[in-house]
Each structure stands twice: as C-alpha cells, then as structure tokens.
Amino acid sequence: MFPYRQMLKLYDEERSLRNIAAMTRHSRQKVTEVIRLAEKRGLKCPLDEEMTDAWIEDFLYPEKKLEASGRYMIDFDYLHQELAKPHVTLTLLHEEYVRKSQEQGKIPYAYRTFTEHYHNFAQKHKATLRIKRKPGELLEVDWAGSTLFIVDPDTGEKVKVYVFVATLPCSQLSYVEGSLSMDLAAWIKLHQHTFEYMGGITQIIVPDNLKVGITKHTSKELVLNKTYEEMVRHYHSVVMPARVRAPKDKSSVESSVNTVSTWIIAALRNTQCFTLEEINQEIRKKLEEFNHRPFTKKEGSRWSAFMEEEKFALTPLPTEPYQMSEWRTAKVQPNYHISVKSMFYSVPYEYIGKQVDVKVSGKVIEVFYNYMRIASHLTLHGKYGQYSTVHDHMPDNHKLYVEQTPQDALDWAENIGEHTLAVVRFLMDSYEVEKQAMKSVFALKKLERTYTVYEIERACKMVHQITNRPTVKSIQTLIKNNKKADAENAFTQKQTHEQNKHGFTRGASYFGGKNK
C-alpha cells in the first residue's frame, strides 16, 4: 500500500520533500502531489488511528474506487462547486453528466447511484452538505427569547438587554449582538453589523413576522416597513418572512437561538457589565468560541464550514453602507415649504396644499408625491427654524424678489418718479443689512400690481411732505386713503352732474293747449 500516512507524518515533522521522497522511496513529484492534495482537503496531523493508508487514499482520491467500475468518472469537486450556484440541482447536473459520458462513449451512472456517490463525497470531504441548503442563499434572523442585563452604574438598577441572532442555514454560522431596544433603528443597525461580520449578503433574508419590519403579511399580500424594505434593496437582497405559526420556515435560527441561549446567554449570566459596549464585547468573545467549536458529527466547525463552503457565495457588500432613514408625511404650506423636525424645506409651488411623503436621513431630505421625487435637500442641523429654499421651486413673482439688486431697485424707482426714487434711497440707507432693505423695496414694488404709477408717485410725494422717515406702511396707507378720497370725489361730481342735467320744463298751456 502506498505510504500516505508516513508521508504526512514526516511532513508534519518539517522534513524536506527530498528527505521524504528518499525515506518512502517515491518520487519527489508524487510526494508533493500527496502533500498539496492533503492540504487542499484539510487533512492534517495528528492523524486518527482509523485514518489508515487505505482510508487516506479513498479520502484524497475518491475517484479511484469508481475507476475500476469502467463507468464515466464523476468530477466531485465540479459538482460541489456548481451546486452552489442558484437554481442548480443534482438532477440537472446528472443530465449534463450523462450527456458528457455519451459523447465520450462511456457508460454513465444511474441517477440514484450518482447521488449516493456525491452524498458520500460531501459527507466525508466537506464540512457541509449542499443538498438541502445552498450557500449564500438564506439568512435567518430573530430575537432570542432570553435576555441579558447591564447594571446602571449610578442607580444600580438592572437594565434589560435584548439579544439578536442571525444564522446561515448552510454553514450554521451565527452572529449575536445585544441591544437596549427592539425598535426599527436597532433592527436595521443589527442587520448591517451582521453583513459586516459575514463580509457579504445572502440572496434572501428570513425574519419572523415582527411589526418593526413587517407591516402586513397574509397569504395574498406582503407589506414591509418602508425603511426595512429600502435597507434590504440597498444590499441587493429580498425579504421572505416566515409564515405565521410555521417555525420550520426558520428552523436554523430557532435551533441557533436555543444553542446561543446555552453557550452565550447562560454562559454570561454571572458576568456584570455596566455598558452595552462592555456586554457586547463579552458576547463577541463567546460568539467566536461558539463559531469555532468543532462539530460533533462531522469534520470542521461553523467558521471553517463558512469560510470553505459559503463565504464565496455571498453577495459583496456595497461600497457605501446604508444610511438609516425615516419616512414621514407632511402638508405643503402656502409658502411652498414643508416642516420637518422644526426645519423648513421647499418644494415646487404647484404642490401647495398637497400631502407628501418625506424620507428623512442624517444627510438628505427627499420629498415624494405619488411615489415621484419632487424635491431633495441637504439635512439642516443646528438652530431650529432654518430654511432650505431652491430657487426653481418659487413662483415667478418671488423669483423677482430674490433676483432683485440695489441697482435694479433704483432703476425701477427712477422710472416711477423723483419722489419714489427718494423713498427707495432712504429705505436702502436706513438698513444695515442689504437683504432687509431689499425686502422693504420689494414690498413697495408690489404696490404696482394694484395701483398705477401715478398713485405710487403721488403717495411718495405726500409722505415726504408729512415726514422725513417714510415707510412702506405709510405709503400703503396714503395710497388707500387717496384711492378712497378719489372715489368719494368722483361720486360727488357724478351726483352734481346728474342734478344739473335736468332743466325747467314748460307745460302744455305755454304752447296754446288747455290744461284739463
């Protein structure tokens, strides 16, 4: 029998390949092949007693047993690699295998024998078996029923810590973290930490029907929380919640929750921590022990199974992590702004009075109407009451005010008349801040929409006769009073004209007639 065991033992003793070849009386090329294949398969010293030369040969060269049968050889590594791809099954791979064997003029194995050989290969050579679960396909998430506690350093009060558990069904790798709350923000953050720990994202996420993530779940309809749905879409995954009262839909996480409750939660029952960061550090230590603990019925551990069998199948993390956002509704005010956390953001003035959806994040405010984005602003921070206004959102008359310059104001006043020009100059000199002066000038210009140029100039002339400190308010009052006085004078003149229009009327007797 070929001395596989001796070769591996000598290599473990750090003998050179030349010495091993000389001691076993085989070529250095063959020694190199055996050692490299053993490293690939994960076979290391010390070797168990049951690992005889025959066992090792079967382990390193599983195809040798099949070679004697005369049938077309099965490429087990190829099968194992292809089964990791979406929608690939052993039935499909067997059909391809049969087609190749016929092209080579060889006899293929029947489907039942084909699957038995692969099953034996997977159990012996791989840490996991991909017949039931594909790598990188599912991530099951849930809250553990048991909780931990931290101690408030000021009051000595025990504060409850909820435990989040996520599990990959294929490799059984788990992620565990504590949280002081079970709200939406914590739910999103813990998902992100899970993806970072695993270094990728699965195709499907299977949560329980928690209200924080699932708004409605029936046999006909599934409605996710908007923020949760957005987060999942950002990571290019989908959510398929477990059916109500169907624990088998997420059996892996249910099993992991029980195991985690023993090896992590119960193990930390006597550990006293004062902050969430401290207890999560202790949880992380226990988690590493848990994931690296050897399997009882097969080779490897959860971590080795994940690294060898599943990590490659995960979707890579996006370049930018998801930014937590919150959805609100708001009504567009008459000044074409909406209020969000006591800050004001503009939308196109055509939406005044409409109800809009607002996506709020730490960086950006986005406004939607009927699922169409109509505005976007950088989030305002600091003092309440700040405004973020986009020029294109304004009505045309408001744009005129924003675009107004001091020279434009003087040119306009000069066209009205010398008294209006004097008022505008006074207003511009009376304010330290130019924007305040232009606001007053704009209010004066708005009078032109209602009154004639003559009426504005006359009011400005009158205000100069009354005071040396004219105001827009006083000019508005004078124009209204002048308008009223003009209307009264016009009415009086009309009445007088009507009375003067009726002269003396002669009777019939004046023309020789007789009065009856």
Side-chain angles (χ1 to χ4, degrees):
M1 190 67 189
F2 193 88
Y4 296 103
R5 189 181 177 94
Q6 183 184 6
M7 283 185 181
L8 295 176
K9 187 177 180 181
L10 291 171
Y11 182 73
D12 186 58
E13 293 174 356
E14 299 183 355
R15 300 291 184 95
S16 67
L17 297 178
R18 187 186 300 275
N19 286 340
I20 297 174
M23 295 176 71
T24 58
R25 298 182 181 181
H26 286 278
S27 68
R28 190 167 60 178
Q29 183 180 1
K30 183 62 176 179
V31 172
T32 302
E33 176 189 328
V34 170
I35 291 173
R36 296 294 175 261
L37 198 55
E39 288 178 345
K40 180 182 176 182
R41 302 286 193 199
L43 185 61
K44 298 178 181 179
C45 291
L47 301 174
D48 295 338
E49 292 183 3
E50 65 179 18
M51 295 179 179
T52 61
D53 288 335
W55 187 97
I56 295 174
E57 182 176 76
D58 185 33
F59 183 81
L60 298 181
Y61 301 96
E63 64 278 2
K64 280 194 173 184
K65 275 190 175 181
L66 306 181
E67 199 171 2
S69 66
R71 299 189 180 258
Y72 187 62
M73 295 299 299
I74 301 173
D75 188 343
F76 293 108
D77 288 321
Y78 171 78
L79 295 182
H80 204 68
Q81 183 179 0
E82 290 300 302
L83 276 173
K85 298 178 180 179
H87 312 300
V88 177
T89 63
L90 278 174
T91 304
L92 173 64
L93 292 174
H94 179 256
E95 289 185 3
E96 295 175 352
Y97 160 78
V98 170
R99 194 180 305 119
K100 287 181 182 179
S101 65
Q102 290 172 348
E103 291 173 357
Q104 298 291 330
K106 299 288 184 69
I107 302 172
Y109 283 101
Y111 176 73
R112 182 175 178 180
T113 310
F114 177 85
T115 55
E116 285 178 355
H117 285 312
Y118 173 72
H119 184 88
N120 293 333
F121 167 83
Q123 279 191 325
K124 190 170 186 178
H125 296 78
K126 299 295 178 180
T128 60
L129 180 62
R130 290 185 193 151
I131 293 177
K132 295 182 179 180
R133 298 293 186 190
K134 287 184 178 292
E137 183 181 34
L138 297 178
L139 174 68
E140 298 175 359
V141 294
D142 202 357
W143 293 102
S146 304
T147 58
L148 291 168
F149 295 92
I150 59 175
V151 179
D152 189 316
D154 296 324
T155 64
E157 179 186 1
K158 283 188 175 182
V159 180
K160 189 179 291 186
V161 176
Y162 303 97
V163 181
F164 172 84
V165 182
T167 300
L168 295 169
C170 177
S171 62
Q172 293 297 305
L173 184 79
S174 291
Y175 177 75
V176 183
E177 185 177 341
S179 174
L180 294 177
S181 65
M182 299 172 69
D183 59 10
L184 180 61
W187 184 248
I188 297 295
K189 179 190 69 175
L190 292 167
H191 275 70
Q192 290 180 284
H193 291 178
T194 302
F195 300 149
E196 291 167 4
Y197 178 76
M198 296 176 176
I201 308 105
T202 56
Q203 301 169 31
I204 302 170
I205 300 172
V206 184
D208 208 342
N209 288 277
L210 303 169
K211 290 184 179 180
V212 69
I214 313 300
T215 303
K216 184 178 181 181
H217 185 200
T218 65
S219 58
K220 298 181 180 179
E221 185 179 16
L222 171 62
V223 180
L224 300 180
N225 175 282
K226 274 190 174 182
T227 303
Y228 190 37
E229 180 181 14
E230 193 176 68
M231 183 273 292
V232 172
R233 193 185 306 118
H234 177 83
Y235 286 105
H236 305 292
S237 185
V238 295
V239 173
M240 294 180 61
R243 293 169 297 172
V244 179
R245 299 184 184 88
K248 289 185 179 180
D249 285 0
K250 51 183 184 65
S251 55
S252 295
V253 76
E254 294 286 352
S255 175
S256 293
V257 164
N258 294 331
T259 310
V260 162
S261 297
T262 300
W263 292 103
I264 297 181
I265 299 178
L268 295 174
R269 66 190 183 281
N270 297 322
T271 303
Q272 191 175 62
C273 297
F274 298 96
T275 65
L276 181 64
E277 290 73 18
E278 287 181 15
I279 199 166
N280 273 328
Q281 288 176 2
E282 297 298 325
I283 289 175
R284 191 62 173 262
K285 293 176 184 177
K286 295 296 182 183
L287 175 64
E288 293 305 314
E289 294 176 7
F290 176 74
N291 282 331
H292 286 82
R293 182 176 289 107
F295 289 125
T296 56
K297 297 182 179 179
K298 53 187 175 183
E299 294 291 328
S301 63
R302 289 174 173 82
W303 184 257
S304 65
F306 168 72
M307 295 302 292
E308 295 173 12
E309 301 294 306
E310 189 157 26
K311 185 174 175 59
F312 78 95
L314 298 178
T315 303
L317 292 170
T319 53
E320 291 290 332
Y322 173 71
Q323 295 294 327
M324 175 67 181
S325 60
E326 175 187 358
W327 284 89
R328 297 185 172 201
T329 58
K331 187 174 183 180
V332 182
Q333 301 173 3
N335 64 351
Y336 53 88
H337 285 70
I338 59 172
S339 175
V340 179
K341 296 184 178 179
S342 299
M343 301 293 189
F344 299 92
Y345 303 88
S346 67
V347 299
Y349 71 92
E350 295 89 349
Y351 296 94
I352 291 175
K354 303 292 186 182
Q355 197 83 8
V356 294
D357 295 315
V358 187
K359 179 185 173 184
V360 183
S361 71
K363 293 183 178 180
V364 180
I365 299 290
E366 295 178 279
V367 186
F368 296 83
Y369 181 73
N370 287 341
Y371 304 101
M372 180 180 69
R373 189 172 70 173
I374 60 174
S376 178
H377 299 264
L378 293 177
T379 304
L380 296 173
H381 299 282
K383 185 180 178 181
Y384 289 150
Q386 297 181 62
Y387 278 78
S388 176
T389 306
V390 177
H391 181 268
D392 291 340
H393 294 168
M394 299 178 176
D396 291 338
N397 56 334
H398 286 207
K399 290 179 183 178
L400 290 175
Y401 163 65
V402 173
E403 296 169 354
Q404 185 70 37
T405 65
Q407 187 58 47
D408 291 334
L410 293 173
D411 292 342
W412 170 80
E414 189 174 2
N415 291 331
I416 300 295
E418 59 176 322
H419 297 289
T420 305
L421 179 60
V423 170
V424 169
R425 282 176 173 165
F426 172 80
L427 292 174
M428 293 177 64
D429 294 338
S430 60
Y431 290 97
E432 294 182 2
V433 181
E434 182 183 287
K435 190 172 182 180
Q436 292 177 316
M438 297 309 301
K439 187 175 181 180
S440 295
V441 173
F442 183 73
L444 183 63
K445 288 182 67 175
K446 284 175 64 177
L447 297 175
E448 197 174 6
R449 302 176 193 170
T450 309
Y451 305 103
T452 64
V453 171
Y454 167 76
E455 290 173 319
I456 296 172
E457 175 66 11
R458 183 174 65 164
C460 291
K461 180 180 179 181
M462 293 176 66
V463 80
H464 272 300
Q465 295 172 350
I466 298 171
T467 178
N468 292 327
R469 302 183 62 83
T471 63
V472 177
K473 184 67 176 177
S474 61
I475 294 172
Q476 291 173 336
T477 303
L478 283 171
I479 289 181
K480 289 179 182 179
N481 291 341
N482 291 340
K483 194 82 171 177
K484 184 178 180 181
D486 291 344
E488 291 175 351
N489 290 337
F491 180 76
T492 302
Q493 290 177 4
K494 183 179 180 182
Q495 289 291 95
T496 303
H497 179 69
E498 290 291 333
Q499 291 175 359
N500 293 337
K501 189 169 65 173
H502 298 287
F504 178 75
T505 304
R506 295 179 174 85
S509 60
Y510 178 82
F511 297 99
K514 294 183 179 179
N515 291 324
K516 295 182 181 180

